Amino acid sequence: MLFKFEDFKAYLFRKTVKMFNLYQHMKSGDTKEQKEPETTGHDRFYQERSRSSYRKKKRRGACRRAQSAAEFNPESVAAANKRDAFRIRSVSTDKEESEEENSERTPLVAQKIDSLAKLLFNKSIMGSGSGKSSPSEPSASPRLAEQSMESSVALAICNEYLSHSTRYSMISSLNPIGSRASKKWFAIHDNSIKADRLLILTPLSSKCPIEQNEHSRGLIMELFRALHHPYIYPVLDLELCNGHALAVLPYNSRGSLKDLIYKSTWSDEYSRKYGSTGTGLPATQVARFGRQILEGLLFLKEKGFPPFRHLHSGNVMVQNGVARLCGLENTLIGATPRPPARSAALERVETLSLGHVLFEMCAGTDTDLTLLPDLANNYSQVVDIIEMLFCPHPPNLHELLLCELFRKIDLREMKGSCLPNFSQRLSRSCLSLLGEVARRQQTPPRRAPGSPGTPPTRRRYVQLDQDYTEEWQW
């Protein structure tokens, strides 16, 4: 009896060791694959999750033992060898026949190509000599030739920029998706994080205060690192090269707020996207987007950023229902703003631009104040704010936060423990760079002395009881 008990005990021990080894090999080896990066590029507020994490993994079939050579059927092996020999012989004979046919046809093809080239050359000479072309052949306009030349120059500059960096690679050039004809857009790939990016090429103007050196580049990157905010669209990189500014931005397949209003595809040409009238957004969405834009403007002001004169619906990106200000690089390089903001005073330019955006979100078209009575039924509170923004003494940004329309909006993006410290201070060199950018904005355009169309300057008298509700300080 004792002997049987000892054998049973040894048997249980062997079973336990075997099961332990079995579970030891069954480790969770897929945990590393399931983990996702905390951030996507430099943008910590928008994460595009990979689709593989949401799909169920297919079960792999059971491993089957391969057959040995002795287990094969001799008749099937002989038949397979015969088929293989016939296939090799037929392929070789087909190659020989095709080579003979190509050698016979080569002189005929060469003669046809030569005759076609001579015909086209003679037609081009006749067209240039007579100055007339046939109606069936469209003549290339000088504007198209100029655009093609500009596109080739822009592509060469981008290729030169990408050749010095191993991080980015060119995908393709995009259509003129913006209102500026001088801007060029390209789709590139970020090899470090395996994500697509948007490369924007903008020619520099004489008002650009940034010099093309490593010190200025370091200050720019310090500024953009400090401007991380849920309602600010990040600029991942900015480089000055050959009289142009190259800005790298995240790739947003949803497009801008203007694309949302007009129900258009962001990658289409600008002249085709916004030809028809758009559709007004719901009142709750207008209020939420307006509050988010307002928070982004206030954040830029707290950081010492110059007045943002490039605010319009095309420079507001929409991601996951969140409006984010875009186009900050235009202020730094001294780009000329659009006509509504070009003639506005610096202390009013942001509030006026916000009024234009609010109107476009409600009416689906450009600003026309005569349409406000028609919008009062569906957007009563928004219409009241638009009227205040276009009055002679509009409220400032801080006063707009006290309005009932914006005060009750819940900013869920500003909550959470993962948000960075927004009170990060900039260095003195970076603040001096922003001060120089603001000084260039305030400088009026120079006119030729003694020009006949220039009226004499008049002395302006300012009332002592005039109340300046907002003053920009540096």
Side-chain angles (χ1 to χ4, degrees), residues 142-398:
R143 180 59 183 169
L144 293 178
E146 184 180 356
Q147 290 179 355
S148 62
M149 185 178 297
E150 292 177 356
S151 301
S152 60
V153 171
L155 182 60
I157 295 175
C158 291
N159 288 330
E160 182 181 358
Y161 166 71
L162 297 177
S163 63
H164 297 292
S165 174
T166 58
R167 179 172 183 175
Y168 302 112
S169 59
M170 176 68 70
I171 297 179
S172 63
S173 59
L174 302 176
N175 295 324
I177 59 178
S179 59
R180 299 177 186 269
S182 58
K183 269 191 175 183
K184 305 298 178 183
W185 286 263
F186 301 89
I188 61 176
H189 185 72
D190 193 342
N191 300 319
S192 61
I193 61 173
K194 309 301 180 182
D196 294 339
R197 298 295 186 224
L198 185 66
L199 179 61
I200 304 177
L201 181 68
T202 309
L204 297 177
S205 63
S206 58
K207 294 184 179 181
C208 180
I210 304 176
E211 299 179 358
Q212 301 184 18
N213 51 36
E214 291 297 330
H215 179 67
S216 299
R217 175 179 170 79
L219 295 179
I220 292 173
M221 298 314 298
E222 176 191 353
L223 173 63
F224 287 138
R225 282 194 297 267
L227 294 181
H228 276 277
H229 195 269
Y231 307 130
I232 300 296
Y233 202 67
V235 179
L236 307 181
D237 198 1
L238 182 63
E239 182 77 18
L240 304 183
C241 177
N242 296 326
H244 291 74
L246 295 100
V248 179
L249 279 72
Y251 190 90
N252 184 22
S253 59
R254 298 294 182 181
S256 62
L257 177 60
K258 199 176 188 70
D259 296 324
L260 179 63
I261 295 173
Y262 288 86
K263 310 297 181 183
S264 59
T265 306
W266 72 275
S267 57
D268 293 341
E269 295 185 8
Y270 184 85
S271 57
R272 299 179 181 179
K273 289 191 294 185
Y274 314 122
S276 59
T277 305
T279 305
L281 303 180
T284 56
Q285 194 173 17
V286 172
R288 186 171 68 252
F289 284 166
R291 175 65 187 275
Q292 293 169 355
I293 295 171
L294 187 58
E295 289 289 339
L297 293 174
L298 288 172
F299 174 75
L300 292 178
K301 187 174 182 179
E302 292 174 359
K303 287 295 182 180
F305 200 80
F308 188 54
R309 306 170 64 190
H310 300 273
L311 174 60
H312 53 84
S313 59
N315 276 345
V316 178
M317 308 303 293
V318 179
Q319 288 182 331
N320 292 339
V322 179
R324 311 182 71 181
L325 296 181
C326 180
L328 302 182
E329 70 279 359
N330 295 329
T331 302
L332 296 180
I333 64 178
T336 305
R338 296 178 67 176
R342 188 181 305 174
S343 57
L346 290 179
E347 60 272 10
R348 294 189 55 186
V349 63
E350 293 179 334
T351 55
L352 288 177
S353 301
L354 180 59
H356 287 291
V357 174
L358 291 175
F359 184 90
E360 190 172 1
M361 284 192 292
C362 296
T365 184
D366 294 335
T367 305
D368 186 4
L369 297 181
T370 59
L371 300 177
L372 286 180
D374 301 335
L375 301 175
N377 296 329
N378 299 327
Y379 309 95
S380 58
Q381 295 181 348
V382 183
V383 168
D384 295 340
I385 293 179
I386 293 175
E387 290 177 350
M388 288 191 299
L389 293 176
F390 286 99
C391 68
H393 300 284
N396 56 22
L397 299 178
H398 292 281

Side-chain angles (χ1 to χ4, degrees), residues 75-85:
E75 297 179 357
S76 61
V77 172
N81 291 334
K82 289 181 180 180
R83 288 194 299 268
D84 194 11

Side-chain angles (χ1 to χ4, degrees), residues 79-97:
N81 291 334
K82 289 181 180 180
R83 288 194 299 268
D84 194 11
F86 179 77
R87 181 179 58 83
I88 295 174
R89 183 179 60 82
S90 60
V91 168
S92 61
T93 53
D94 292 341
K95 286 184 178 179
E96 292 176 358
E97 293 177 358

